[in-house]
Amino acid sequence: MTEQQSIPIQSPAACQTCPAHNAGNLLRLGVDMTEFDYVVALAGNPNTGKSTVFNALTGLRQHTGNWPGKTVQRAEGAFSFGGSKYKLVDLPGTYSLLSTSLDEEVARDFILFGQPDVTIIVVDATRLERNLNLALQVLEITDRAVICLNLIDEARRHGLTVDERRLARDLGVPVVPTAARSGEGLPDLLQAIDDVATGRFVCKPHRIRTQSRSISDAINRLAQQVEQQFPNLPNPRWVALRLLDGDQRIVEAVRKGELGDLTRPEMMEMA
Amino acid sequence: MATLALEPNGIKQDRVAALLDSAETLRWQIGQEFHEQLMEDIYTDAARIADRAVTRPDEKPRFDLDRTIDHIVTSRLWGFPLMILLFTVVFWITITGANYPSQFLSYILIDTIQPFLWNIANAIGLPWWLSGILIDGMYLATAWVVSVMLPPMAIFFPLFTLLEDFGYLPRVAFNLDNIFRKSGAHGKQSLSMMMGFGCNAAGVVATRVIDSPRERLVAIITNNFALCNGRWPTQILLATIFIGALFPVYLAGIVSALAVVAVAMLGIFLTFAVSWGLSRTVLKGEVSTFSLELPPYRPPRVLQTIYTSLIDRTLYVLWRAIVFAMPAGAVIWLIANVTIGGTSLAEYFITVLNPIGIIFGLNGIILLAYVVAIPANEIVIPTILMLTVLVYGGSGAGAGVMFELDSQLATRAILDAGGWTLLTAVCVMLFSLIHNPCSTTIYTTYKETGSRKWTAVAALLPLVMGFAVTFIVAQIWRLFSG
């Protein structure tokens, strides 16, 4: 097993990539979102502390509350780290990206059409199984993601231990344990975001495995066709999944050629 | 890419159609169970991955504090009484705590600084009308807003935010969910209602968590019945000086708190009643189900909560009140001092509105104040006070603003001079709960619904209801009090 997959190091100047060194380089830019280099999206289940992570990184004080459904609008802010400027977009918390309520659509559309450079998936360490349902769906759409294993302090309080390396190997993306309320783990999170954004770390995200032979055949066949029609599309398999599910929004996107637009890099700023 | 772009549109469209066709064919082949199979696969994967990563403590299930608290606060028997008790305690602390800082602020702002400003104005020889608008109008309105509203807000908002941070609000939503469903509304409406207790405009935006357009409209229209930031101080003040004052000092605080809770409860009751009415008449339809996650209780970070609620809520609301109070102060001073034939404009308005107001247990000044205060509910009470002082307070135009407002008793004295009775106070409290939403909320409603019709309903329905309720209360009151 290669440990390099989950722990990004391997850079000439070891000091500069050390999280402890770079923590001091975080510049909270609040709402100043001019001339950013990367777009970062924050996704996750409701009430996992997305807004707390958002506030900790941007220095903004978007109201956080201990109840699900707090964020229904997209909130945006910015920070700068390691010489790059990042625009951070806080998406509404959702349990899945499959059904069609407004908040799920906002989150899904942004990850799909906004094409963030990195998607941070905030998961609740004390409710990992339920939270992974969403994480797996996000990993189908984008292959540039970081798992923020939040509320790790609460997990400890409940006597749970989460093996983040095991998790990182299984999911194929960096996993960073954090306690955003107290700021624990945020330097490592920033480093992981930077690594994925700059391409220093290349994700190999987990793909959902299906038990049914006929379904996996259908997915593969359709995914191939999608890929032929839209080469360079980052997620043909996911589009195939949605088409098979009869998702009208995606059918429309295919028909109108919006999906084709996704392959053009200049569309990345449509956020 | 280049080849794709160069292709004539027709060929591209054909390919897209072929792709969609084959998707449709495959869909039929794999049949109905696809969605469920996919969900099951996701769950299986998630369970497997989570199981490998998480190690649970091998002990027996311990005493679970969260669960025990949940059993009590969401119990059928104790849920509602506990909810009422908690909110009563919050208001009691607010009411008893706000008195002294209020006195102090009005001593500084009105008894000390205002005369000082007049001395300066006289010394540099400003024309009387200019210093009138600036000092007796804009400055006085602002000073009143600060001294009347700042102390209760600075106590109430941190307490409310602490409850929120602790995780209590979703339990309230859980308690209310059943009634919401029975009244034909979406259970998540309890969440948007909770937001409404902070700010109705925010509450209207929060209804986005509701998927069905029908249930969302119900939630938007009824959000106004959740007593907002701008109206809490009105309720707290009037309850203190009119209702609490009826009782001996040691009971006054708790009685005032109960009165405010009663008004808030009436608001919740009206939310249910109107939801019920709407979903059985103009907005008929099925109730959808949803899952509400009860978050774990978290020990609130007290200092940070106090800091952010002071900055985000208290100062935000106060700033909004001040921004609206300054021009309103100027308008009030003008209509109180511009005279036609020896009578001020305000007196004309009030004379016309007074007979109408009396029918509803209110008076002309109150109605005029509500018109002036459409931009922000926060300034209703200061407007009423200013109009009362300017119209009844003195002999000549521009005079009579030197009321001593160094305690809540003095506020009472002004209102008494304006002819207020207990009935007036009760009716103003009711009307403050039930009347048109502020202009920000109306605008937000329009943006969210995109419909003039529903915006009009959301604005006018509460107004009509407010007049109906105060009318009935006033008539019954007068019937019994002779």
Side-chain angles (χ1 to χ4, degrees), chain B residues 12 18 38 58 88 99 111 122 134 158 173 197 226 238 269 278 296 328 330 447 466 482:
Chain B
K12 201 177 148 193
L38 184 66
D58 277 329
T88 311
N99 207 351
D111 296 348
N122 289 334
L134 291 179
F197 280 127
L238 291 181
F269 168 78
L278 286 172
K447 273 201 305 188

Side-chain angles (χ1 to χ4, degrees), chain B residues 71 139 142 175 211 272 281 342 395:
Chain B
H71 271 304
Y139 175 77
T142 314
N175 285 339
D211 315 331
F272 292 133
T281 52
S395 41

Side-chain angles (χ1 to χ4, degrees), chain B residues 106-107 109-119 121-122 128-144 147 329-337 346 382-406 410-411 414 417:
Chain B
S106 58
Y107 171 74
L109 293 174
I110 296 166
D111 296 348
T112 316
I113 297 184
Q114 204 198 7
F116 177 68
L117 288 176
W118 263 112
N119 287 341
N122 289 334
W128 70 271
W129 56 268
L130 185 58
S131 42
I133 291 184
L134 291 179
I135 300 174
D136 287 349
M138 295 169 85
Y139 175 77
L140 189 61
T142 314
W144 246 318
S147 64
V331 169
I332 296 163
W333 189 87
L334 280 175
I335 59 175
N337 285 283
T383 307
I384 291 174
L385 290 175
M386 291 218 20
L387 282 171
T388 311
V389 169
L390 288 173
V391 174
Y392 295 106
S395 41
V401 281
M402 307 302 279
F403 259 76
E404 280 195 18
L405 196 72
D406 56 357
T411 312
I414 294 180

Side-chain angles (χ1 to χ4, degrees), chain A residues 45-48 52 61-70 72-73 95-96 98 101-103 124-125 127-130 132-134 136-137 151 154 157-164 166-167 170-171 181 206-212 214-215 218-219 221-222 225-226 228-232 240-246 248 251 254-255 257 260 263-264, chain B residues 1 4 12-13 15-16 18-20 22-24 26-27 29-30 33-35 37-57 59 62 64 66 161 164-171 188 191-192 194-195 205-211 216 291-301 304 307-308 311-313 448:
Chain A
N45 280 23
N47 208 39
T48 50
T52 312
R61 285 186 313 267
Q62 203 204 3
H63 185 67
T64 57
N66 185 10
W67 50 293
K70 195 75 216 201
V72 282
Q73 279 168 307
Y95 293 105
S96 87
L98 295 176
S101 75
L102 188 65
D103 40 353
D124 178 348
R127 290 163 170 71
L128 191 59
E129 182 178 334
R130 189 197 309 155
L132 283 182
N133 290 327
L134 176 76
L136 291 177
Q137 293 173 38
L151 302 174
E154 236 168 76
R157 202 157 54 83
H158 290 285
L160 298 172
T161 28
V162 183
D163 182 353
E164 74 264 13
R166 168 96 254 169
L167 198 58
D170 281 347
L171 295 174
R181 291 209 323 166
H206 172 91
R207 297 297 184 201
I208 297 162
R209 285 168 214 165
T210 175
Q211 315 288 323
S212 152
S214 64
I215 288 182
I219 295 173
R221 272 175 60 191
L222 197 58
Q225 288 187 42
V226 173
Q228 272 172 15
Q229 181 64 39
F230 305 106
N232 305 334
L241 278 174
R242 297 316 299 146
L243 288 177
L244 286 174
D245 212 1
Q248 284 311 308
V251 172
V254 170
R255 184 170 292 138
T263 57
R264 274 189 257 132
Chain B
M1 271 318 294
L4 242 183
K12 201 177 148 193
Q13 280 307 317
R15 285 209 193 161
V16 168
L19 173 64
L20 290 176
S22 87
E24 201 58 23
L26 283 169
R27 244 186 108 193
Q29 278 171 17
I30 55 176
E33 91 281 25
F34 175 75
H35 187 80
Q37 180 68 49
L38 184 66
M39 289 308 286
E40 211 179 297
D41 289 332
I42 295 175
Y43 276 68
T44 318
D45 264 12
R48 190 176 48 80
I49 296 174
D51 193 47
R52 275 153 54 123
V54 178
T55 324
R56 284 183 180 71
E59 352 164 4
R62 287 173 302 168
D64 189 335
D66 276 20
T161 317
E164 187 181 340
D165 214 34
F166 175 59
Y168 183 64
L169 289 194
R171 274 74 190 183
K188 278 189 195 166
L191 294 177
S192 63
M194 287 298 142
M195 287 291 275
V205 174
T207 60
R208 288 186 188 176
V209 295
I210 299 172
D211 315 331
R216 218 180 138 205
S291 57
L292 174 70
E293 181 180 330
L294 293 183
Y297 292 100
R298 291 178 186 149
R301 293 148 302 159
Q304 193 175 342
Y307 174 77
T308 50
I311 300 294
D312 287 354
R313 291 197 176 172
E448 291 294 314

Side-chain angles (χ1 to χ4, degrees), chain A residues 10 12-13 20 30 37 42 44 47 66 70-71 77 105-106 112 116 146-147 155 159-160 207 217 222 229 231 240 271:
Chain A
Q10 319 305 327
D37 303 303
L42 261 177
N47 208 39
N66 185 10
K70 195 75 216 201
T71 312
E105 208 168 294
V106 170
L112 180 63
V146 173
I147 302 272
L160 298 172
R207 297 297 184 201
D217 283 351
L222 197 58
Q229 181 64 39

Side-chain angles (χ1 to χ4, degrees), chain B residues 355-362 367 427 466-468 470-472 474-475 478:
Chain B
I356 308 172
I358 298 297
I359 303 174
F360 301 103
L362 309 169
L367 288 183
C427 284
F467 279 121
T470 46
F471 175 78
I472 294 168
Q475 297 312 312
R478 287 180 184 133

